[in-house]
């Protein structure tokens, strides 16, 4: 996947594209994969970088949704469990079984959660990751070494899926390209082209790297921009309806010593009515999340002090070694693009995570709501609607069994080193390491990411900036913000050597990245503030 090759493909297209997709997150990339794999000419434009927004800021779970089960949203749970199974088969290098333990401090809780999660397993059917079982007190303490022992009766162990969200996004982009799609990051849609009847016939785009503008014609245009959906709808024309209810969720990243072992902690009841997870991820622990209504969408939302306190205080109630502000290596926030309920605004934790489609009078299709786990089904629904809307050939969806770029045979999953996350691409990086031993050098001494991975990101994964690399190709910004800042100059120089940039580019990139990354660090001392509840 090479950006210059994609630009050449865009500029030399001699006919109207079948499908134009706006947005390079989970939804947009899934749509590009579905459309291209059905044989439709497809182009995708992402204004920033693939998964720049919400799609790189998840809880790292591919799951049916235990909370949705408790809410009685069985349809969504059933759909998500089915999609979890498909994704586990089609991206074995990225999606794996994660065991969760619910610590129980009342005996009735053990049977309550055992019965509920038994239904969860039953609904998963043949796509189940493993059966739920009860743990006695000794077993629960062995599974969760740092859990509070005082009053512990036992626990419930269940299985769900875990993944790396941004890496999946990159592999979806490459899958779309494998099937003939043109995908471009750092390319923003500025306006729509319309015929005399007001029907959209294309888009005007601007390249953030070169400054060049292009007119691109298409039979159907899809708005898959998540929390920025209303912004794209506004380009189409005035629309006063509240289509999106943004909800912010934050995560704090801690050292692995706060949750030794391979099992995750699930806290089933919190003060805001959500569940809280502490999950092993990239040799660290991700703790979250919150559900805070916000008024304005943002690609770089900031965690609120009340959210930080909530996560730390809730986790401290269950851990013997209690995390403090000084222990937070990274904090990040994302905004969920929830579909607005038809009867007015309500608490975002009660808003369904189901998706819906909106077709504007101009023919613009917008996908609203949804979540990572169901991205494939969302894409299938969008392409089916596009086929009907503009009379494209009625070709069937094939993505339930379509391997995602990097997918490996089951017997080869996690049998190699950390580069197993790249799947079949691990061999390409190993070849870089063998060709030049200097590329085996770590970009930071405390973390495993290598210079060779940076080179691979530039050559094959359309990484353009230091942020592209450190935030979404390797995940250093999302596990240790200080370390990411410390190695940003080194990474900038590797990119510059690959892309023939001059010293001024390096300095500007480092300065820009430092300004961004500081927002991922949690100041240890803060002034006392007063907050109103969400």
């Amino acid at each position: 996947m090479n950006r210059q090759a994609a630009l050449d493909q865009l500029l030399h297209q001699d006919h109207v594209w079948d499908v134009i997709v706006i947005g390079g997150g989970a939804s947009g990339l899934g749509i590009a994969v579905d459309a291209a794999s059905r044989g439709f000419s497809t182009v995708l434009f992402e204004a920033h970088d693939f998964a720049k927004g919400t799609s790189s800021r998840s809880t790292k779970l591919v799951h049916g949704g235990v909370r949705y089960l408790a809410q009685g949203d069985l349809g969504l749970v059933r759909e998500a469990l089915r999609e979890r199974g498909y994704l586990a088969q089609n991206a074995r290098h990225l999606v794996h079984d994660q065991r969760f333990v619910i610590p129980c401090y009342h005996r009735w809780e053990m049977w309550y959660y055992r019965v509920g999660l038994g239904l969860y397993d039953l609904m998963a059917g043949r796509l189940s990751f493993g059966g739920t079982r009860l743990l006695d007190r000794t077993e629960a303490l062995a599974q969760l070494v740092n859990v509070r022992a005082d009053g512990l009766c036992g626990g419930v162990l269940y299985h769900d899926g875990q993944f790396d969200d941004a890496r999946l996004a990159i592999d979806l982009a490459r899958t779309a390209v494998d099937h003939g799609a043109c995908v471009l990051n750092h390319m923003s849609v500025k306006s729509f082209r319309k015929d005399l009847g007001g029907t959209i016939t294309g888009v005007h785009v601007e390249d953030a790297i070169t400054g060049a503008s292009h007119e691109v014609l298409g039979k159907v245009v899809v708005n898959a921009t998540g929390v920025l959906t209303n912004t794209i709808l506004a380009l189409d024309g005035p629309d006063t309806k509240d289509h999106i209810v943004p909800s912010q969720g934050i995560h704090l990243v801690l050292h692995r010593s706060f949750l030794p072992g391979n099992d995750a902690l699930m806290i089933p009841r919190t003060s805001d009515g959500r569940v809280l997870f502490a999950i092993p991820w990239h040799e660290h622990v991700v703790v979250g999340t919150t559900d805070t209504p916000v008024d304005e969408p943002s690609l770089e939302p900031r965690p609120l002090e009340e959210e930080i306190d909530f996560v730390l205080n809730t986790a401290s109630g269950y851990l013997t070694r209690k995390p403090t502000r000084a222990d937070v290596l990274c904090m990040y926030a994302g905004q969920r693009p929830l579909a607005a309920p038809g009867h007015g605004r309500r608490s975002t934790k009660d808003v369904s995570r189901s998706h819906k489609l909106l077709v504007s009078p101009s023919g613009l299709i917008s996908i609203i709501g949804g979540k990572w786990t169901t991205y494939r089904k969302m894409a299938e629904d969008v392409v089916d609607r596009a086929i009907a809307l503009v009379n494209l050939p009625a070709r069937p969806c094939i993505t339930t069994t379509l391997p995602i770029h990097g997918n490996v045979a089951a017997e080869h999953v996690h049998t190699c080193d950390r580069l197993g996350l790249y799947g079949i691409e691990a061999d390409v990086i190993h070849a870089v390491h063998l060709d030049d031993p200097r590329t085996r050098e770590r970009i930071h001494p405390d973390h495993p990411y290598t210079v060779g991975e940076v080179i691979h990101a530039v050559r094959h994964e359309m990484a353009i900036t230091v942020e592209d690399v450190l935030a979404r190709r390797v995940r250093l910004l999302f596990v240790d913000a200080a370390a990411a800042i410390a190695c940003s100059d080194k990474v900038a120089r590797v990119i510059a050597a690959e892309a023939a940039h001059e010293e001024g580019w390096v300095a500007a990139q480092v300065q820009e990245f430092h300004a961004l990354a500081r927002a991922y660090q949690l100041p240890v001392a803060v002034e006392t503030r007063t907050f109103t509840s969400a």
Side-chain angles (χ1 to χ4, degrees):
M1 185 171 71
N2 177 274
R3 194 171 190 274
Q4 186 57 54
L7 282 172
D8 292 343
Q9 183 182 3
L10 178 72
L11 296 176
H12 292 94
Q13 172 82 341
D14 58 2
H15 61 275
V16 176
W17 295 90
D18 291 325
V19 181
I20 297 175
V21 182
I22 309 173
S27 301
L29 292 167
I31 293 163
V33 169
D34 188 296
S37 65
R38 297 198 206 196
F40 299 126
S41 60
T42 304
V43 60
L44 177 147
F45 299 113
E46 163 54 45
H48 303 280
D49 184 32
F50 308 117
K52 158 70 176 180
T54 305
S55 296
S56 62
R57 302 161 186 271
S58 73
T59 313
K60 320 307 179 191
L61 296 180
V62 181
H63 64 135
V66 175
R67 185 166 61 89
Y68 314 142
L69 181 67
Q71 292 173 344
D73 196 346
L74 299 185
L76 177 59
V77 174
R78 186 179 295 107
E79 176 182 85
L81 287 171
R82 182 175 62 246
E83 294 300 320
R84 181 191 72 174
Y86 294 152
L87 190 51
Q89 293 174 353
N90 296 331
R92 295 188 183 95
H93 60 302
L94 286 176
V95 179
H96 66 271
D97 171 35
Q98 175 64 62
R99 295 181 304 188
F100 290 79
V101 175
I102 304 174
C104 298
Y105 294 88
H106 301 282
R107 293 204 174 274
W108 64 267
E109 291 180 321
M110 297 177 64
W111 291 103
Y112 175 80
Y113 297 125
R114 174 64 183 88
V115 171
L117 288 165
L119 176 61
Y120 195 65
D121 296 340
L122 187 63
M123 293 174 70
R126 63 181 180 81
L127 297 174
S128 172
F129 278 30
T132 298
R133 65 185 181 91
L134 293 175
L135 303 176
D136 62 27
R137 186 176 187 276
T138 301
E139 290 175 310
L141 289 172
Q143 300 292 128
L144 296 176
V145 175
N146 193 34
V147 75
R148 176 170 59 86
D150 182 33
L152 183 71
C153 299
V156 179
L157 183 148
Y158 73 97
H159 298 254
D160 232 326
Q162 199 226 32
F163 78 135
D164 185 309
D165 46 13
R167 285 238 55 90
L168 178 57
I170 299 304
D171 284 344
L172 285 175
R174 298 195 68 175
T175 305
V177 171
D178 291 343
H179 289 272
C182 173
V183 301
L184 280 159
N185 57 356
H186 301 283
M187 183 79 77
S188 59
V189 172
K190 295 299 184 181
S191 62
F192 290 114
R193 182 184 189 274
K194 296 184 178 181
D195 63 17
L196 294 177
T199 298
I200 291 177
T201 58
V203 296
H204 297 100
V205 298
E206 182 177 284
D207 191 332
I209 306 303
T210 66
S213 297
H214 309 281
E215 182 179 74
V216 183
L217 304 182
K219 297 175 184 177
V220 65
V221 178
V222 179
N223 173 16
T225 54
V227 294
L228 299 180
T229 294
N230 289 336
T231 302
I232 298 299
L233 286 170
L235 293 179
D236 186 26
D239 189 343
T240 58
K241 186 176 179 182
D242 187 13
H243 294 289
I244 291 289
V245 178
S247 167
Q248 177 163 298
I250 78 155
H251 296 82
L252 305 180
V253 181
L254 307 172
H255 191 271
R256 185 63 181 272
S257 59
F258 282 92
L259 196 68
N262 297 319
D263 296 333
L265 165 67
M266 198 273 262
I267 299 171
R269 293 187 178 188
T270 65
S271 58
D272 73 343
R274 289 186 57 83
V275 299
L276 192 81
F277 295 101
I279 303 169
W281 188 70
H282 285 302
E283 299 305 317
H284 291 74
V285 179
V286 175
V287 186
T289 182
T290 55
D291 202 335
T292 307
V294 292
D295 294 325
E296 296 296 329
S298 172
L299 288 175
E300 285 289 345
R302 302 290 181 89
L304 302 174
E305 287 296 332
E306 61 196 45
E307 293 181 296
I308 296 167
D309 289 341
F310 166 78
V311 172
L312 287 175
N313 292 339
T314 303
S316 294
Y318 285 80
L319 299 176
T320 55
R321 182 186 172 199
K322 303 182 185 304
T324 68
R325 298 176 69 92
D327 297 310
V328 177
L329 299 173
C330 166
M331 62 177 183
Y332 65 89
Q335 292 180 350
R336 307 174 187 90
L338 304 182
H343 54 280
R345 198 174 179 93
R346 56 177 171 161
S347 171
T348 51
K349 71 181 178 64
D350 297 322
V351 176
S352 174
R353 269 50 176 173
S354 296
H355 64 278
K356 67 179 182 181
L357 301 183
L358 171 69
V359 180
S360 301
S362 63
L364 176 67
I365 300 176
S366 297
I367 177 71
I368 298 173
K371 61 200 191 93
W372 245 122
T373 305
T374 58
Y375 88 91
R376 191 214 62 83
K377 181 63 168 64
M378 294 161 62
E380 180 181 356
D381 290 348
V382 168
V383 177
D384 284 347
R385 180 67 65 88
I387 288 172
L389 185 68
V390 297
N391 199 31
L392 292 171
R395 299 167 183 159
C397 174
I398 64 171
T399 55
T400 57
T401 57
L402 183 71
I404 292 168
H405 189 96
N407 193 35
V408 294
E411 61 269 23
H412 297 308
V413 175
H414 299 297
T415 59
C416 57
D417 59 20
R418 190 193 61 79
L419 293 181
L421 277 172
Y422 291 88
I424 59 173
E425 289 292 316
D427 290 340
V428 179
I429 300 174
H430 281 303
V432 173
H433 289 166
L434 289 173
D435 184 57
D436 184 351
R438 291 173 297 180
T439 65
R440 302 174 199 168
E441 181 183 350
R442 296 184 176 194
I443 59 175
H444 190 280
D446 297 337
H447 297 275
Y449 311 112
T450 67
V451 169
E453 289 178 78
V454 179
I455 292 172
H456 179 79
V458 175
R459 291 179 182 175
H460 303 293
E461 297 182 340
M462 219 176 280
I464 306 298
T465 68
V466 170
E467 180 195 342
D468 292 350
V469 171
L470 289 176
R472 290 171 294 277
R473 303 310 186 276
V474 304
R475 305 310 305 275
L476 186 55
L477 178 60
F478 279 75
V479 295
D480 190 337
I485 290 171
C487 70
S488 57
D489 181 81
K490 183 173 188 173
V491 170
R493 293 184 183 282
V494 174
I495 298 172
E498 283 292 310
H501 293 308
E502 296 181 353
E503 185 66 27
W505 181 91
V506 172
Q509 277 288 299
V510 171
Q511 182 179 19
E512 184 178 318
F513 182 76
H514 283 199
L516 172 88
R518 280 193 289 267
Y520 289 71
Q521 293 179 294
L522 176 57
V524 175
V526 296
E527 58 184 313
T528 302
R529 304 176 188 178
T530 302
F531 295 92
T532 57
S533 59

